[in-house]
Amino acid sequence: MAALLGALFSAQPASAQWLQAETQNFVIHAELDEEELRDVALHMEEFNRLLQRQMPAQLRPGRKFHIWLDGGMNRISGLFGHRIFSAARDWHDLPGAFAQYDPGQNPRYRYYPLYSAVGRFHLSNGFVRTLPYWLADGLPIYFATAYVDEGQFLLGAPDNPRMMNEPMSVSRIEELLTTRQKPESFGRFRTLQSANAVFTNLLLSDPANDALIGRYLALFNAGKSYEEAMAVFGDLRPLTVDMRNKMGRKVKLRAVPIDPEAPKQIFIRPMGQDEVALIVPRFRRLIDEDREDVAKDLRKLTERFPDSAETWYQYAAAEFALTKGRERDGEPAFGGLGFADNVLVIKAWHYSDREAWAAVNRALALDSGHSHANRLKAEIMLARMLNAGDGDDAEQFAEIRALLGTLVERPEEFPFAAVFNYQTNIEQGLRAPQEAFDAFGRAFLGSAGVRSFRYAYAAELIRRGEHAIARRLLESLLNDPRYSEAAQRALDQIPDPPV
C-alpha cells in the first residue's frame, strides 16, 4: 500500500501553472492563475485580522504559515490517512497545511478548508495556553464557517455542508468534555469532530459563554483534570436543553466587521519544477510515515533534479530519519534538556548515515547558504560525535556551532537551529551563554505550537531556577497525551515554594 501511495502521489501537475504568493503572514502555493491566487492571499490576510480581533494572540509566530492548495481532497486524504479537506501541523522544519481549494465552488464555502487550517495555526501558535481536544477540534471549525457578507464576516452558520447535526445530550456533552485525544478509529474521529463542531458552535452563538470558556481554560491550563475543568459548566442538564432548543431554530450569527485596510503587498512568483515535484514527498517526510519509501522516492527526485539544493536537503533529511529508528515518533528529542525517560539516548545505529551525509553535503555544495541543510549537517555531526563517544571534542563543537552561524541570530525564523545550538552546550557540559539562552526562549515563543520546544525550554528554566514560568509551561502540558508524563516528571523536579 505504501509503495502504491508513493507512486500515485509522485505524479504532480504541470509545474508551469504553479505559483507561490507571499504575504505578511502566509506563503501560499497553488496551481491557480495569478489573479485568483492574489484573491486567495487577500482573503487569508482578512481572515487573519478576524482571528486577531476575536482572539487576540498573546504571541507572534516567528514563521509564516505555508499553505499548499489542491483542487481535490484525494491527495490530502491519502497523505493523512482519512478523508479530510485540510490538515495543519506544526513541524520543527516549518508550520504548514495542505488544503483543498476549488475556485469554482460557492464563495460561501470555498474557503472553509483554508480557514480551518489557518484557525488551527492561530490557536496553536498564538498562545501560551493549550486547548482541550474538544475546543482544539471545534474552534477552527467554528471559525471556518466564516463568510463575507456586506463588508463583514458572519460566524457560526449552521448550514455549512461540512457540518452535520449531532444530537446533544448530557452524556454526549460529558463525553466531549472528557475526551483527551484524537480517536484512532476514523469513524469515531468523524463522529466526535462533528459533535465538537456543533457543541462549540452552539456555545459561541451566545457571547455570554465567552467568560465561561475563559474560566474553563484557566483551570485546564493550571493542570486541572478534564473532569475538574468541566465543573465550571455546572449542571449540564440546563445547557443540554438550551442547545436542543437552539438546534431547533435559526442560530444567531456573530457579525464581525472587516476593518478597512489597504491591500498588503503580495509577492507572486512561478514555482520551479523541483518545488512542485517536492510538494507531496515533503509532506510525507514531515508526517513521518513509511520512512524507507519516502527516502527512496526522494532519492529518485535527486536524479531528476541533480542541481536542486532543496531536493538534496529533503533526501538527506529522510535518510537521517532512518538512522534514528522510531524514537519520539520522529519528533526531535533534545538530549540533555529533558528529564528521566524523555531524553535522547544515543545508541549504535542500525542504519548508516552515509547517504544522509553525502546528500547534505551535496545540498551545501549547490547552495552553501541553505539554512536547513546547514542545520541538518550540524545535527549529523553531533550525533556522530556522541555515538563515537567524542563528547569532549571542543573543536568539533565549535565547528557544529559555526554551521548554525547566523541562524541562531534569527531564532524566530529558525527555531530548531536555536534550540539545537543550545543543546550543544548541554552535551558539551557547558553553561550556555546568555545570548544562546535568550535565543532559545525566542525560538519557543515564536513557535509555541511545537510541543518539543515548549517542554525543552521549561526543563531548562527549571535547571536555571526560574521555577514560576517553568511550572506554568509544564502545567499547560499536563493534559497533552504525548507530554503529560514527561511534564509531570519535570514538575516533580521543582521544589515546593517556601511557606
Side-chain angles (χ1 to χ4, degrees):
M1 177 62 72
L4 176 62
L5 288 174
L8 174 65
F9 294 149
S10 63
Q12 295 291 327
S15 62
Q17 298 177 348
W18 277 84
L19 301 174
Q20 174 187 289
E22 184 168 359
T23 70
Q24 182 180 5
N25 296 289
F26 305 102
V27 181
I28 304 169
H29 315 255
E31 190 183 19
L32 298 171
D33 62 50
E34 184 170 336
E35 182 179 356
E36 178 72 28
L37 181 57
R38 189 177 298 276
D39 187 59
V40 171
L42 287 172
H43 269 79
M44 292 304 97
E45 287 293 342
E46 281 185 345
F47 182 69
N48 187 64
R49 294 201 299 276
L50 163 71
L51 292 172
Q52 293 291 350
R53 179 166 180 157
Q54 293 300 104
M55 295 185 67
Q58 299 167 328
L59 307 174
R60 178 177 176 80
R63 300 181 291 180
K64 295 184 180 182
F65 189 47
H66 286 248
I67 309 173
W68 282 264
L69 305 185
D70 199 334
M73 62 183 293
N74 289 340
R75 263 196 295 264
I76 304 167
S77 299
L79 278 169
F80 291 90
H82 46 78
R83 290 186 66 78
I84 51 176
F85 297 93
S86 68
R89 299 288 187 274
D90 291 297
W91 288 291
H92 69 265
D93 262 19
L94 85 166
F98 206 1
Q100 180 194 18
Y101 177 78
D102 180 359
Q105 192 175 23
N106 184 329
R108 180 167 177 175
Y109 309 121
R110 185 186 305 169
Y111 297 99
Y112 177 97
L114 282 76
Y115 288 167
S116 175
V118 173
R120 290 184 187 278
F121 175 70
H122 177 76
L123 293 169
S124 64
N125 287 273
F127 304 91
V128 173
R129 66 177 183 240
T130 56
L131 297 176
Y133 178 73
W134 68 271
L135 205 51
D137 202 32
L139 262 179
I141 297 176
Y142 173 75
F143 282 117
T145 65
Y147 66 94
V148 177
D149 182 65
E150 297 183 356
Q152 61 183 357
F153 274 109
L154 295 178
L155 291 169
D159 57 343
N160 190 297
R162 299 188 181 93
M163 288 180 63
M164 298 187 298
N165 289 326
E166 289 289 336
M168 288 292 115
S169 65
V170 171
S171 60
R172 171 52 62 89
I173 294 175
E174 287 178 342
E175 177 188 27
L176 298 180
L177 291 173
T178 55
T179 297
R180 287 160 171 75
Q181 58 185 311
K182 175 183 173 182
E184 293 185 7
S185 163
F186 174 62
R188 176 106 175 104
F189 160 70
R190 288 307 295 265
T191 298
L192 271 182
Q193 184 181 63
S194 179
N196 283 330
V198 172
F199 180 61
T200 306
N201 196 325
L202 292 173
L203 271 181
L204 293 177
S205 67
D206 184 354
N209 287 328
D210 291 359
L212 177 70
I213 295 174
R215 293 196 301 274
Y216 171 91
L217 288 175
L219 288 173
F220 184 83
N221 279 274
K224 300 298 182 182
S225 70
Y226 274 68
E227 290 77 11
E228 289 173 312
M230 182 176 66
V232 302
F233 288 93
D235 185 352
L236 294 178
R237 285 172 295 184
L239 178 62
T240 302
V241 172
D242 180 59
M243 287 191 167
R244 284 176 175 171
N245 291 335
K246 285 179 178 177
M247 291 180 72
R249 62 179 186 266
K250 187 175 181 180
V251 176
K252 183 178 180 180
L253 305 185
R254 283 200 183 194
V256 183
I258 299 176
D259 298 327
E261 188 170 321
K264 298 290 184 182
Q265 194 166 20
I266 301 173
F267 299 95
I268 296 179
R269 67 167 180 84
M271 292 174 61
Q273 293 184 19
D274 58 331
E275 293 178 288
V276 176
L278 280 170
I279 292 173
V280 170
R282 174 189 281 108
F283 269 101
R284 292 181 66 212
R285 179 181 74 78
L286 293 171
I287 293 168
D288 199 41
E289 298 289 343
D290 305 318
R291 289 183 179 180
E292 291 187 6
D293 285 341
V294 172
K296 289 176 183 177
D297 288 347
L298 285 166
R299 173 61 180 158
K300 292 175 183 176
L301 284 184
T302 64
E303 296 170 0
R304 284 182 56 195
F305 305 104
D307 297 325
S308 168
E310 181 63 19
T311 302
W312 282 104
Y313 161 70
Q314 293 292 338
Y315 171 55
E319 280 284 339
F320 187 55
L322 287 169
T323 70
K324 295 184 287 189
R326 297 301 304 179
E327 288 91 353
R328 299 292 303 141
D329 295 325
E331 195 173 335
F334 304 107
L337 289 175
F339 292 105
D341 297 331
N342 206 50
V343 298
L344 179 64
V345 178
I346 302 298
K347 304 175 182 177
W349 289 337
H350 299 289
Y351 187 90
S352 171
D353 71 336
R354 183 179 60 228
E355 289 295 327
W357 182 252
V360 77
N361 280 296
R362 174 66 174 164
L364 290 170
L366 291 165
D367 179 5
S368 61
H370 194 291
S371 304
H372 291 302
N374 275 292
R375 188 218 69 229
L376 178 60
K377 183 173 181 177
E379 280 187 80
I380 298 173
M381 288 179 65
L382 179 62
R384 283 184 165 190
M385 284 177 60
L386 299 180
N387 195 56
D390 294 336
D392 57 353
D393 191 329
E395 289 187 5
Q396 285 196 63
F397 273 110
E399 187 176 348
I400 288 171
R401 293 187 191 110
L403 282 170
L404 299 173
T406 58
L407 303 183
V408 181
E409 298 172 6
R410 295 179 286 166
E412 293 87 358
E413 188 177 355
F414 300 104
F416 190 21
V419 179
F420 183 75
N421 174 71
Y422 196 88
Q423 180 191 344
T424 64
N425 289 277
I426 303 298
E427 299 290 3
Q428 195 178 357
L430 302 176
R431 181 175 176 83
Q434 183 63 38
E435 58 266 26
F437 178 68
D438 291 343
F440 188 178
R442 288 162 57 195
F444 155 63
L445 292 174
S447 297
V450 183
R451 295 293 181 254
S452 56
F453 294 169
R454 177 184 296 250
Y455 173 80
Y457 186 58
E460 184 55 24
L461 285 171
I462 294 175
R463 187 179 282 114
R464 286 176 164 255
E466 300 184 33
H467 296 153
I469 301 175
R471 184 182 296 277
R472 182 182 177 193
L473 293 178
L474 291 168
E475 286 176 343
S476 76
L477 291 171
L478 285 176
N479 287 307
D480 187 308
R482 295 187 66 183
Y483 281 90
S484 58
E485 292 185 9
Q488 185 59 62
R489 286 195 297 269
L491 280 168
D492 292 342
Q493 304 286 327
I494 301 177
D496 294 330
V499 178

